[in-house]
Amino acid sequence: MSDTAKKEKAEAFGPAGKVLNELDDRLGIAKGGRSLLDKIFPDHWSFMLGEIALYSFFVLLATGIFLTLYFVPSQQSVVYWGSYAPLRGQHVSAAFASTIDITFKVRCGLLMRQMHHWACDIFVGAIVVHMARVFFTGAFRKPRELNYSIGLILLILAIGNGFVGYSLPDDLVSGTGLRIAFSITESVPLVGSYLAFFLFGGNFPGTAVIPRFFTIHVLLIPLVILGLVSAHLFLLVRQKHTQFPGKGRTEKNVVGAPMVPVFAAKATGFLFMVTGVIALLGGLAQINPIWQFGPYDASKISYAVQPDWYMGFLDGALRIWPAWEWTGFGHTIPLEVFLPAAVLPGIVFGICFAWPTIERLYTKDSAAHNLLDRPRDRPKRTAFGAAFFAFLAMLFIASSTDVLANFFHVSLNTVLWAMRILVIVVPFIVYPITVAICKELQQVDNGGKRKRANVVTRTADGAYLAVPAPERPGDGHHELDAEPVPDFIEFEGSDEASEPGINRVGR
Amino acid sequence: MTAEHGTPVSLSTASPDDPHMQPLARNPQRTERLIALAMFVGILGIVGFGVAYWYNANGWVYGVTLGGGITLLGFGITAWGKYLMPKGPFVEERHELRGTDEEREVFAAAVVQRGGGILGRRKLLAGMAGLGLAAFGVVAAFPLIRSLGPLPKKTLDETDWTKGSYLVDSTGRPVQVGDLAVGGIVTVFPKGYEDTENGQAVDQTVLIRLATTDYTTRPGRETWGPAGYVAYSKLCTHLGCPVGLYEQQLEKLVCPCHQSMFDVTNGAEPDFGPAPRPLPQLPIYVDGRGYLRAQGGYEEPVGPGFWERS
């Protein structure tokens, strides 16, 4: 087609077409742009879990920037004379005082602080659930092992940044968390005390940790997360999304909705909904009320405090691990700290990273997979995942031994030993049960699909008859054959009165 | 759908009557009205947030107006996409990620030649470049890592307690022998350090006036606990939390972090929980004027274990 013909064609689309033409002359956007608009996203509720993570990350960035405008990252001691009466006249750090000011003085400050905290808990939670989806459906298999690993690194960074951010207000509870972090770092054989001194700029608490953690929290880790999220999404676009098997869905195509407008509308709306729910939580559900905890003082402590949920499994492991300190040759290895707090998470994440390789070696399957597994069709993988999560769940529960003992009126010793046993036993119970459930589900026809109703009638002589009800819209899934997105929809020719009208196509 | 896909001149067109172009909603007009209503209420919420801000309303009002507003608006947009836009389904072919055999061969040849071939031919320069980068890496590590903090040296072994240190409470008042009731407890610091970072973090010590009279004294510590008083480091030997709970009836110190318990009538031996060692004991005495003072510093490092601890 000649240039003039092309021009005429595009000018048929008015001024917008003209602008697009000018842009294409300079940027060459027409070809790639069109395929981007047409990019097909397969539809399944579980595919939105990653979206929740992404959108809560946006909320974290927005609320986080707001908080940096008021937060003072300094351990300088100041006397608090702000609007919160119970703390007036107390010596607190500038970090703590500014966080109290954000809470009580800055308009909307408390909302932003609580939204930030809730968004963080949701961010990490959504990543975990998203990864569980990826694991149980086999989406990590070739060619997506790299993107799976990026996701895992993102999870570790999210957990790490959550802890670092949690420490910044310099309140009594977070300060105790920092003390524990220092001691865990100290427990590393050979270099532990050096690591701890370099991280904290000297012996605990020193004066460097809050400013340092601030830079790590707002600059270093977010930058890495942003880069890796971009890589994660780039690879998603490049490799295209996986899909569940179904009508017309093959290893070589993607069936679903186009990026523009359908997916874009759903995703934009969902971004708003995630933001809205976080705002509701931030406004209605109190989280981390540091004004009740008070400022950090290394010789004071609070009771029955648990870390944020994603640190729970580590805290639980620290609680139930036996007191196994090793001493000899003039040295000490605090195994009761190093094993649960450093080696254990290393093993947990190590298994996660190694899983695609482990499974490939075990199944000898090195083909690329774009169609997902139903979890029941892979009983061993599903059962392993369930047992793995059960193990972590038991550790998580163990992080509240004191609360459990109080609540159930049993001795702490009973709870401790119960958790020590459950952590080991429960995964071994969960595994065979999950395998059995998977095998059962494989036998069910149309498992997971909506059942047709039965009409039960009683005849005159008392016999009962069950007859399947006539099919109704919404019964079953009558999907059309998938077609490529058309280049052009002829709205002009259609009868305006009938559009949008009652759906003329039977479903 | 009249598919003339692939022909360069004409666009493949679809009529709005095409089943793929139909909305999912059975009654689009009603659905549109419902969605519009949700969005309208959402907009009201967002405007309400502005009003709430103007009047500096309570936190929960912000949450309801802003959160409810955005959620409803988002619900509307998503529902529009799900129920009123073409329901499809549409299909797209996946492009093979793998290149052709020829492309792969050409690429591999280029990588190997330019890497091993062209770079490898100048072994001297390649070696120099590698050496330079390695040297830079090592040198750069000094400011990046070494500057971060002082070396631990003996810091972790030391406290500010010395021979004759007065035991003072957090306000700096020296503790006298009659100050504590039987069964009482107070956190003490060496005089002059009660308001310092190191004092609070490292020197913190619990002073307890035991109710039991027949407590066990460790060999060599016979004079360390005068007049029923014992003093132990307040830093838990597990992870360094302050051992802040005192179970007076059992005479045990409890760490609220991971529930280690220390029997203060028996040299603060841990008898429950993950703590591996007893709390170090501070030797104290009562001076001529009735003040409690330290006979000397701790004989072992306080707090959790670390490699250099012997």
Side-chain angles (χ1 to χ4, degrees):
Chain A
M1 202 178 350
S2 72
D3 270 7
T4 40
K6 233 163 48 185
K7 205 165 184 177
E8 276 162 19
K9 189 88 194 170
E11 273 168 13
F13 295 98
K18 231 183 232 170
V19 171
L20 289 173
N21 261 3
E22 295 296 326
L23 283 175
D24 187 47
D25 284 346
R26 289 160 182 83
L27 306 171
I29 56 166
K31 211 174 145 194
R34 170 61 205 277
S35 64
L36 194 67
L37 295 184
D38 278 6
K39 190 172 172 48
I40 298 295
F41 283 84
D43 226 2
H44 190 263
W45 64 266
S46 68
F47 299 163
M48 72 171 188
L49 297 168
E51 284 183 60
I52 299 179
L54 182 66
Y55 302 151
S56 49
F57 180 61
F58 292 160
V59 176
L60 280 171
L61 287 181
T63 52
I65 289 169
F66 178 93
L67 294 175
T68 57
L69 300 177
Y70 304 97
F71 180 69
V72 181
S74 158
Q75 279 158 279
Q76 185 81 44
S77 180
V78 296
V79 180
Y80 179 77
W81 284 116
S83 51
Y84 185 63
L87 282 173
R88 278 200 197 142
Q90 281 201 40
H91 287 271
V92 300
S93 68
F96 183 80
S98 63
T99 313
I100 293 289
D101 280 346
I102 290 173
T103 304
F104 293 112
K105 215 169 93 186
V106 178
R107 226 179 251 202
C108 277
L110 177 63
L111 176 76
M112 292 292 170
R113 246 199 73 219
Q114 298 200 135
M115 276 177 74
H116 194 70
H117 204 127
W118 275 115
C120 170
D121 282 350
I122 290 171
F123 180 48
V124 184
I127 296 176
V128 171
V129 184
H130 171 59
M131 295 216 69
R133 195 279 293 173
V134 166
F135 177 85
F136 286 116
T137 60
F140 57 82
R141 291 174 298 175
K142 190 179 172 185
R144 296 183 177 77
E145 304 96 328
L146 179 64
N147 223 13
Y148 169 79
S149 305
I150 292 178
L152 265 172
I153 298 171
L154 281 169
L155 173 61
I156 296 169
L157 289 173
I159 291 176
N161 216 27
F163 177 78
V164 172
Y166 174 81
S167 306
L168 290 178
D170 203 21
D171 57 280
L172 187 56
V173 176
S174 75
T176 310
L178 275 181
R179 170 71 238 197
I180 294 174
F182 183 88
S183 305
I184 291 173
T185 317
E186 244 185 320
S187 79
V188 179
L190 210 63
V191 292
S193 39
Y194 290 85
L195 287 179
F197 271 59
F198 289 171
L199 183 61
F200 281 69
N203 199 359
F204 182 84
T207 52
V209 61
I210 297 286
R212 228 170 239 194
F213 274 30
F214 179 71
T215 306
I216 294 173
H217 181 73
V218 307
L219 181 74
L220 195 60
I221 300 185
L223 207 61
V224 181
I225 290 182
L226 206 57
L228 287 178
V229 164
S230 310
H232 201 66
L233 296 179
F234 171 78
L235 283 179
L236 163 75
V237 170
R238 174 121 182 101
Q239 299 177 328
K240 293 197 169 70
H241 207 287
T242 51
Q243 58 190 353
F244 278 104
K247 188 178 181 184
R249 288 149 174 86
T250 69
E251 289 282 3
K252 294 197 179 304
N253 69 6
V254 195
V255 175
M259 166 101 101
V260 177
V262 181
F263 181 77
K266 285 182 177 178
T268 309
F270 195 50
L271 164 66
F272 280 39
M273 281 195 276
V274 169
T275 312
V277 169
I278 292 172
L280 277 170
L281 284 168
L284 297 176
Q286 186 183 72
I287 192 163
N288 202 23
I290 55 144
W291 60 93
Q292 293 175 8
F293 303 152
Y296 183 58
D297 176 330
S299 60
K300 292 193 180 124
I301 184 132
S302 189
Y303 164 71
V305 233
Q306 267 70 36
D308 266 328
W309 74 267
Y310 43 84
M311 301 298 278
F313 78 105
L314 288 180
D315 196 57
L318 280 167
R319 283 178 187 222
I320 63 173
W321 211 275
W324 282 347
E325 189 172 72
W326 178 89
T327 49
F329 310 108
H331 290 290
T332 300
I333 304 180
L335 292 174
E336 81 285 1
V337 176
F338 184 65
L339 292 181
V343 176
L344 177 89
I347 293 174
V348 164
F349 285 108
I351 290 175
C352 294
F353 277 110
W355 185 263
T357 314
I358 295 173
E359 193 176 303
R360 200 174 54 237
L361 293 177
Y362 182 77
T363 60
K364 308 212 167 33
D365 174 8
S366 57
H369 294 278
N370 293 317
L371 285 178
L372 294 170
D373 292 326
R374 298 270 170 199
R376 59 169 173 268
D377 295 330
R378 294 282 179 273
K380 285 181 188 167
R381 180 206 292 150
T382 304
F384 179 84
F388 191 72
F389 274 108
F391 171 72
L392 292 176
M394 289 303 119
L395 287 180
F396 175 78
I397 293 172
S399 72
S400 56
T401 42
D402 51 341
V403 179
L404 291 172
N406 270 348
F407 187 80
F408 291 110
H409 298 287
V410 287
S411 85
L412 203 50
N413 198 42
T414 314
V415 179
L416 179 81
W417 277 100
M419 291 321 300
R420 280 178 178 172
I421 294 166
L422 287 174
V423 160
I424 295 165
V425 170
V426 168
F428 286 98
I429 298 174
V430 166
Y431 188 95
I433 290 179
T434 314
V435 171
I437 292 175
C438 289
K439 296 248 162 95
E440 285 282 318
L441 280 173
Q442 287 173 13
Q443 310 302 317
V444 180
D445 288 338
N446 284 329
K449 301 243 172 71
R450 179 182 284 194
K451 308 266 187 306
R452 282 264 295 282
N454 280 328
V455 177
V456 181
T457 49
R458 198 176 75 163
T459 59
D461 46 5
Y464 286 94
L465 283 175
V467 183
E471 204 160 305
R472 289 158 53 108
D475 283 349
H477 199 59
H478 295 292
E479 201 181 63
L480 300 164
D481 286 320
E483 297 216 6
V485 183
D487 298 324
F488 187 69
I489 306 169
E490 285 172 326
F491 280 120
E492 291 87 357
S494 69
D495 179 13
E496 280 298 321
S498 69
E499 213 286 325
I502 303 298
N503 193 347
R504 282 142 300 184
V505 180
R507 297 179 61 242
Chain B
M1 199 184 297
T2 54
E4 289 166 65
H5 230 40
T7 48
V9 193
S10 66
L11 303 169
S12 74
T13 54
S15 97
D17 289 332
D18 187 305
H20 290 82
M21 295 298 139
Q22 298 304 314
L24 197 60
R26 277 202 292 283
N27 186 343
Q29 279 162 337
R30 192 165 141 262
T31 309
E32 187 182 3
R33 283 196 299 272
L34 281 173
I35 291 174
L37 181 68
M39 287 169 132
F40 180 69
V41 178
I43 294 166
L44 285 185
I46 292 168
V47 173
F49 174 73
V51 176
Y53 185 88
W54 184 262
Y55 289 106
N56 197 8
N58 276 328
W60 69 268
V61 182
Y62 292 146
V64 170
T65 51
L66 183 69
I70 309 177
T71 308
L72 281 172
L73 188 64
F75 168 77
I77 299 173
T78 300
W80 179 13
K82 184 171 167 67
Y83 294 110
L84 293 178
M85 288 184 184
K87 70 177 177 192
F90 298 102
V91 65
E92 175 187 32
E93 296 306 310
R94 285 179 197 275
H95 306 284
E96 180 111 55
L97 291 167
R98 174 192 196 284
T100 63
D101 286 346
E102 197 194 353
E103 283 166 338
R104 283 154 75 111
E105 202 172 333
V106 170
F107 181 57
V111 170
V112 171
Q113 270 192 343
R114 286 170 208 188
I118 296 181
L119 296 178
R121 276 158 65 107
R122 305 277 176 212
K123 290 218 163 45
L124 177 66
L125 296 186
M128 293 295 251
L131 192 68
L133 284 174
F136 176 73
V138 171
V139 171
F142 282 105
L144 282 179
I145 296 171
R146 179 60 190 88
S147 297
L148 284 173
L151 297 179
K153 293 192 175 141
K154 292 280 164 205
T155 329
L156 287 168
D157 300 349
E158 293 159 355
T159 66
D160 297 309
W161 291 102
T162 52
K163 188 172 173 1
S165 293
Y166 283 91
L167 276 63
V168 302
D169 66 11
S170 58
T171 64
R173 206 178 69 88
V175 180
Q176 276 184 294
V177 73
D179 283 355
L180 253 63
V182 170
I185 176 171
V186 66
T187 302
V188 293
F189 307 89
K191 188 176 170 59
Y193 293 91
E194 66 276 6
D195 217 9
T196 64
E197 227 134 48
N198 206 45
Q200 287 174 349
V202 177
D203 305 333
Q204 49 174 308
T205 296
V206 276
L207 179 69
I208 303 169
R209 187 164 188 185
L210 295 173
T212 317
T213 44
D214 60 339
Y215 54 90
T216 316
T217 305
R218 298 293 202 75
R221 297 186 180 180
E222 287 79 6
T223 65
W224 286 19
Y229 281 95
V230 283
Y232 295 106
S233 164
K234 200 181 174 182
L235 283 175
C236 183
T237 54
H238 180 220
L239 284 165
C241 291
V243 185
L245 293 175
Y246 183 53
E247 174 45 72
Q248 198 187 14
Q249 313 260 278
L250 301 171
E251 297 188 285
K252 285 183 205 294
L253 280 166
V254 185
C255 179
C257 285
H258 303 99
Q259 289 75 47
S260 295
M261 288 186 194
F262 302 91
D263 183 357
V264 292
T265 64
N266 182 25
E269 274 288 340
D271 52 10
F272 182 82
R277 271 174 282 109
L279 300 169
Q281 187 173 359
L282 184 73
I284 53 174
Y285 68 99
V286 183
D287 74 2
R289 291 179 302 155
Y291 287 110
L292 288 166
R293 296 168 73 174
Q295 293 183 26
Y298 285 103
E299 289 187 345
E300 54 180 315
V302 297
F306 51 97
W307 174 252
E308 292 86 355
R309 190 180 200 283
S310 52

